[in-house]
Amino acid sequence: MTHAQAKARHVELVAEIHKHDRAYESGHPLISDYEYDQLEKELKGLEEKFPELATPDSPTKKVRTEPLTKFKRVRHLEPMLSLDKIQASDRPTKDEEPDDNKRKRLQDENTVNEFARFDATLQKQLGTSRIEYVLEPKVDGVSISVHYRHGKLALGMTRGDGREGDDITENLKQIRDIPHELKMKQPPALLEVRGEAYISQKDFEVMNAKLEAAGDEAFPNARNATAGTLKQLDSRLIAERPLSAVFYAVGAREGIEFETHAEVLESLKKFGLPTQAHWWVCKGIEEVRECYLKNVVAHYDERRDLRSRLPYEIDGVVLKVNKLADWARLPPKAKAPGYAIVHKPIPWIMPAETVLKAITVQVGRTGVLTPVAELEPVFLQGSTIARATLHNEEEIHRKDIRIGDTVIIRKAGMVIPEVVEVVKSKRPAGAKPFDLVASVGGKCPACGSAIVKEKISAGGREEVAWRCENVAGCPAQKSRRVEFFAQRRALDIESLGGIVAEKLVERGLVNEPLDLFKLTVEKLGALNLGTDDGERVYGEKNAAKAVEALERSKTLPLNRWIYALAIPNVGEETAYQLALTHGSLEELAESQLLQDIRELGELETERSRNSPQSRKNPPKTPEEKLAREKRNDEIKARIAEVESRVEQGGKARMPEVGAVAAASVLDFFASVYGKKILKRLKELGIHPVNEAADKGGAPTRAGALAGKTVVVTGTLATMSRDDAFAKIRAAGGSVSNSISAKTDFLVVGENAGSKLDKAQKLGVKVIDEPQFLKMCG
């Protein structure tokens, strides 16, 4: 490459990185961390080859930033720098076959070599032959700094540019994991702790499901959700999101000192701060190697991989010198300290390159059509991948994915293969943009019925998804519904998983879930799970278990049956609350309360659209403005009328049931399929009821918490959150996730956060765990 070519490419890369920095700062990054790192790596390589290109404002000289102009900027007392990265290569040599075992051995060797090079450099700088290290996970969250003055939370900041960050104190106070006061008898004048805010994978999935059910846009990943949440100006909104935090370092301090990094981690935990569950002290570089292989990648066994043992996403491991006095003796780099590095194991981040041979379309239990990439088989992170998710048609268009393309794939969340990007330089001539409708001939690929673009009830906004309308007759939907109906959280039909469900539908034994109740041990036991040429019989032992479980399910409570019917937008908590305010499925199908909730949502939407002050749809003339004002007055009056009915009908007992869920339930039972379900249940003599509610929907359930709404916050000592929820429901109460004036009790565990403050302000009764247990009996 000539100097002129390098200079031109340097300008392109700088502009590209600055663009992605701005996108990252807004909470909506356009590319993955891996892709960003590759751009940085290329830029760094150019500057090493042509040093004169490395200007002071080059991205290689700055920390990746996330400034927010709407927040007050605060200067860090000590720079908050990012860490330097090392990454080993996994490329085999020319005379090696890249089989799994050799590839793993090569990865091990390269990783050890990188660790050894880092250690050798530090030994020279410190003039020693052995260095003690700490190996710990690198959390893939949003960096935060919290200042405690005399033990009390005084300031919370983002990392920003490493020198200045944004003051997000009030937002961090809403995170339940972050204590407002440290557990110390004699706290120091100042202790700055540094860590990451994050949303656990489990909470992220629940949160996204709620956003989608409400017609809002879901977040692409947990870190984006965390970053977007912390940027909210109204701190009250933070309490509604499941943010957590973990701390792993200290910054500025007055009146307290530590000798080692290990002592820091142990002390932070004693002070009441959440810390990492897994970290290791290694006496020398050989122990680092052994610890890495045993505890991090676990010899490439994904079941024992470090990522599978943590609730949050991690994207590497950090190796730090343990002795803090040595930190100041190690010269820093341009934008990183010299005492630590981040290593991203090859099996975690190394994407694979392969060819997309075709795009097939699958049909889910609700009829949604999902495109799937059929790939030239390629080895990736311990397994051979031949298929990868493409999510939806909009995602395909955004990434411009075409059949025949060479694509980069990786495993999202270490499990699910996905296409990251297209290598457009290798695109074959004539490759055409993908059209989902054209690819399936405008019909459902499973049954040939018409497909429609799905719409969200609230606001009428069109979604990306296409759906098969043949709810009752589509074989793909049938088998998915049967599988869902039998899962543990629904009716818990033992020994009846996905393959069995597919074969039951395929062999004509089951057409819809309730057909399961017609099966006998003999008929089910003879089911062939294989092919006509290769028979594999289900067996009478499995059949007997399934039939017994089916008999038990007839007496399961109403909420389990509501959930098992797979009604769109109805999850477990929504199903429970619907059951608490309705006596039977028949009552639910004709629910006046749900009709009112649906109408209320429609009225609120109309009022918003019709507003004379609307920015998106402003009135064009003074006459139109007057007409809108008059209509909005009528809408407000109607809203007040419907709200009154909703409150009287028992809405307080179903805080999770909004307009979207209400419309989904009513539409389901009004459909031909829903009516058939009710008729079949009656014919089978199955009458799921809830004796806790009368025909008017007013709760009559007995128990110490009957008619009460309860919220749980903090960590309970003797039970999980799910156990606490079960006890609340068993005592007749209703569970809610947010505090309001209508909350009756707040159960408080350790490290209670903003919910406790809000409850005290609203005068909500606060009880501890022993009081709660006594109340529940």
Side-chain angles (χ1 to χ4, degrees):
M1 180 180 283
T2 66
H3 186 278
Q5 290 171 328
K7 186 176 181 180
R9 180 57 181 157
H10 187 274
V11 170
E12 289 176 3
L13 285 169
V14 169
E16 183 78 0
I17 290 172
H18 283 323
K19 180 184 80 173
H20 292 303
D21 279 340
R22 290 191 295 272
Y24 180 83
E25 290 158 12
S26 70
H28 296 87
L30 302 173
I31 58 175
S32 67
D33 264 10
Y34 173 79
E35 294 165 291
Y36 184 92
D37 288 346
Q38 294 303 108
L39 292 175
E40 266 198 337
K41 186 177 179 181
E42 185 183 350
L43 184 66
K44 191 174 180 181
L46 279 178
E47 292 180 353
E48 286 175 352
K49 192 172 181 181
F50 302 95
E52 63 276 13
L53 298 178
T55 57
D57 61 344
S58 169
T60 60
K61 300 290 189 286
K62 294 184 178 181
V63 179
R64 187 172 176 177
T65 65
E66 45 173 320
L68 285 172
T69 57
K70 295 180 182 178
F71 285 104
K72 179 184 175 183
R73 297 290 284 180
V74 183
R75 192 165 189 82
H76 288 293
L77 297 178
E78 290 184 4
M80 196 170 176
L81 303 176
S82 58
L83 300 179
D84 210 12
K85 304 179 185 74
I86 61 167
Q87 183 178 309
S89 169
D90 73 335
R91 294 178 184 173
T93 57
K94 290 181 181 179
D95 59 343
E96 260 190 318
E97 290 184 14
D99 62 60
D100 294 358
N101 291 329
K102 286 183 179 179
R103 186 180 294 277
K104 289 174 185 176
R105 284 200 304 272
L106 183 65
Q107 290 171 351
D108 289 346
E109 290 168 10
N110 288 341
T111 296
V112 172
N113 290 340
E114 291 295 337
F115 282 150
R117 275 193 280 273
F118 177 72
D119 178 64
T121 300
L122 267 56
Q123 284 187 31
K124 287 180 182 178
Q125 292 171 336
L126 294 174
T128 184
S129 60
R130 180 176 291 274
I131 301 172
E132 189 172 85
Y133 294 99
V134 170
L135 192 68
E136 59 188 337
K138 179 183 178 293
V139 184
D140 190 16
V142 176
S143 296
I144 56 172
S145 163
V146 181
H147 292 206
Y148 287 92
R149 292 193 178 273
H150 302 287
K152 294 185 178 180
L153 197 161
L155 175 67
M157 301 172 62
T158 63
R159 183 175 65 187
D161 62 5
R163 289 172 292 279
E164 287 186 344
D166 297 303
D167 183 344
I168 55 169
T169 307
E170 293 306 312
N171 287 0
L172 293 183
K173 283 182 177 180
Q174 308 303 316
I175 301 178
R176 62 183 179 273
D177 290 345
I178 301 179
H180 290 197
E181 190 168 354
L182 297 176
K183 291 180 180 178
M184 301 176 73
K185 290 182 180 178
Q186 294 181 323
L190 169 67
L191 177 62
E192 178 194 356
V193 293
R194 293 175 173 181
E196 299 277 322
Y198 69 91
I199 295 176
S200 73
Q201 283 303 298
K202 182 179 178 182
D203 287 339
F204 174 68
E205 290 166 9
V206 172
M207 183 187 74
N208 257 358
K210 287 184 177 180
L211 288 172
E212 289 175 337
D216 294 326
E217 184 179 354
F219 286 98
N221 56 58
R223 192 181 64 180
N224 281 18
T226 303
T229 300
L230 286 179
K231 295 178 193 302
Q232 296 292 326
L233 290 176
D234 186 351
S235 64
R236 294 171 298 179
L237 299 175
I238 312 297
E240 299 173 7
R241 297 271 174 86
L243 261 68
S244 299
V246 63
F247 294 93
Y248 47 76
V250 293
R253 48 201 183 272
E254 297 172 17
I256 188 169
E257 288 301 331
F258 308 92
E259 289 188 9
T260 65
H261 181 58
E263 184 190 349
V264 167
L265 297 178
E266 290 165 351
S267 299
L268 293 182
K269 187 175 182 180
K270 289 178 185 175
F271 299 160
L273 291 155
T275 57
Q276 305 242 45
H278 301 284
W279 55 275
W280 304 271
V281 175
C282 305
K283 302 259 184 216
I285 200 64
E286 282 306 311
E287 282 194 21
V288 170
R289 175 189 182 280
E290 292 170 12
C291 184
Y292 168 80
L293 294 176
K294 180 180 178 182
N295 297 304
V296 179
V297 293
H299 296 286
Y300 307 93
D301 180 349
E302 291 187 353
R303 294 166 299 176
R304 294 167 54 219
D305 188 296
L306 177 58
R307 293 170 298 173
S308 67
R309 290 177 276 154
L310 295 169
Y312 39 77
E313 288 281 351
I314 59 176
D315 60 351
V317 284
V318 179
L319 188 65
K320 288 182 183 175
V321 173
N322 192 25
K323 194 175 178 182
L324 299 187
D326 288 340
W327 288 17
R329 299 171 58 200
L330 293 166
K333 300 180 181 178
K335 62 171 186 174
Y339 57 78
I341 54 166
V342 174
H343 173 67
K344 298 190 175 185
I346 294 295
W348 290 10
I349 63 155
M350 195 63 184
E353 188 177 291
T354 188
V355 175
L356 191 154
K357 299 190 297 182
I359 297 177
T360 55
V361 179
Q362 294 181 336
V363 184
R365 63 179 169 83
T366 59
V368 172
L369 275 59
T370 303
V372 177
E374 304 293 342
L375 306 165
E376 191 69 44
V378 62
F379 180 83
L380 176 66
Q381 297 180 21
S383 60
T384 299
I385 305 300
R387 311 182 87 205
T389 179
L390 291 173
H391 301 293
N392 51 50
E393 189 180 28
E394 188 177 76
E395 181 79 354
I396 293 174
H397 292 163
R398 187 179 73 79
K399 293 179 178 177
D400 190 19
I401 298 170
R402 307 183 187 188
I403 295 170
D405 274 341
T406 296
V407 294
I408 304 296
I409 63 167
R410 68 176 177 189
K411 283 188 179 178
M414 78 175 271
V415 176
I416 305 170
E418 68 172 354
V419 174
V420 178
E421 64 177 331
V422 174
V423 183
K424 292 186 178 177
S425 61
K426 297 183 180 180
R427 172 168 285 167
K432 297 178 181 178
F434 179 74
D435 185 325
L436 188 146
V437 177
S439 73
V440 296
K443 298 177 181 179
C444 171
C447 68
S449 299
I451 58 173
V452 293
K453 208 166 193 181
E454 191 179 45
K455 293 183 179 180
I456 294 294
S457 300
R461 180 175 64 85
E462 282 195 350
E463 277 198 345
V464 177
W466 288 87
R467 185 195 286 185
C468 167
E469 290 188 295
N470 184 14
V471 176
C474 179
Q477 293 185 60
K478 288 177 187 177
S479 61
R480 302 292 187 279
R481 283 198 300 272
V482 171
E483 181 184 2
F484 186 85
F485 187 81
Q487 68 166 279
R488 184 180 60 79
R489 293 187 298 166
L491 297 189
D492 196 14
I493 313 301
E494 196 172 357
S495 305
L496 212 163
I499 296 296
V500 179
E502 286 180 14
K503 292 300 179 182
L504 284 169
V505 172
E506 184 183 311
R507 308 290 180 191
L509 294 174
V510 169
N511 195 47
E512 49 99 353
L514 295 181
D515 288 340
L516 291 169
F517 292 95
K518 301 185 303 181
L519 296 174
T520 62
V521 172
E522 294 73 25
K523 189 180 288 187
L524 183 55
L527 175 66
N528 178 17
L529 300 179
T531 63
D532 293 337
D533 297 328
E535 203 173 77
R536 183 163 64 89
V537 178
Y538 185 57
E540 285 200 5
K541 187 176 179 180
N542 285 330
K545 289 180 181 177
V547 170
E548 185 182 338
L550 282 162
E551 194 61 33
R552 283 198 308 270
S553 73
K554 292 179 180 180
T555 58
L556 286 175
L558 178 60
N559 63 295
R560 296 281 288 275
W561 275 89
I562 295 172
Y563 181 64
L565 293 178
I567 303 169
N569 305 308
V570 176
E572 284 183 275
E573 184 62 30
T574 301
Y576 176 80
Q577 292 179 8
L578 288 169
L580 198 60
T581 46
H582 298 83
S584 66
L585 291 173
E586 289 79 8
E587 185 182 324
L588 189 62
E590 303 294 333
S591 172
Q592 182 60 51
L593 175 57
L594 294 184
Q595 292 176 45
D596 288 339
I597 292 172
R598 176 174 63 182
E599 183 183 357
L600 197 57
E602 292 168 351
L603 288 168
E604 291 286 4
T605 300
E606 185 183 354
R607 181 170 69 171
S608 176
R609 285 178 172 177
N610 197 62
S611 171
Q613 285 78 41
S614 172
R615 292 182 179 180
K616 290 184 177 179
N617 182 34
K620 295 179 177 62
T621 63
E623 292 76 18
E624 184 183 348
K625 184 177 180 181
L626 286 172
R628 286 195 187 187
E629 288 173 349
K630 182 180 178 182
R631 176 56 185 156
N632 261 17
D633 288 340
E634 294 171 356
I635 293 172
K636 287 176 185 176
R638 180 61 180 165
I639 285 174
E641 180 186 333
V642 178
E643 277 182 340
S644 177
R645 286 210 309 268
V646 164
E647 293 304 317
Q648 292 172 9
K651 177 63 170 77
R653 301 289 280 165
M654 347 187 291
E656 302 295 318
V657 181
V660 173
S664 292
V665 172
L666 293 171
D667 291 346
F668 177 85
F669 286 112
S671 69
V672 173
Y673 178 73
K675 289 176 181 176
K676 182 181 176 183
I677 289 289
L678 292 177
K679 183 180 178 183
R680 287 292 308 282
L681 283 170
K682 189 174 181 180
E683 292 170 351
L684 291 165
I686 300 173
H687 303 284
V689 295
N690 179 15
E691 296 175 359
D694 63 22
K695 290 183 179 179
T700 60
R701 186 171 189 169
L705 296 175
K708 307 296 184 183
T709 300
V710 184
V711 177
V712 180
T713 187
T715 304
L716 301 177
T718 64
M719 71 193 94
S720 66
R721 285 284 182 93
D722 287 342
D723 291 337
F725 295 163
K727 287 183 182 295
I728 293 166
R729 292 165 185 155
S734 177
V735 177
S736 180
N737 291 319
S738 57
I739 292 284
S740 72
K742 296 176 183 178
T743 305
D744 294 289
F745 296 105
L746 174 66
V747 181
V748 177
E750 258 191 68
N751 297 324
S754 59
K755 289 179 182 176
L756 176 57
D757 295 337
K758 189 171 182 180
Q760 290 169 338
K761 287 177 184 176
L762 294 174
V764 173
K765 187 170 182 180
V766 177
I767 58 176
D768 60 19
E769 190 171 350
Q771 289 173 305
F772 169 65
L773 290 171
K774 186 177 180 181
M775 187 179 289
C776 292

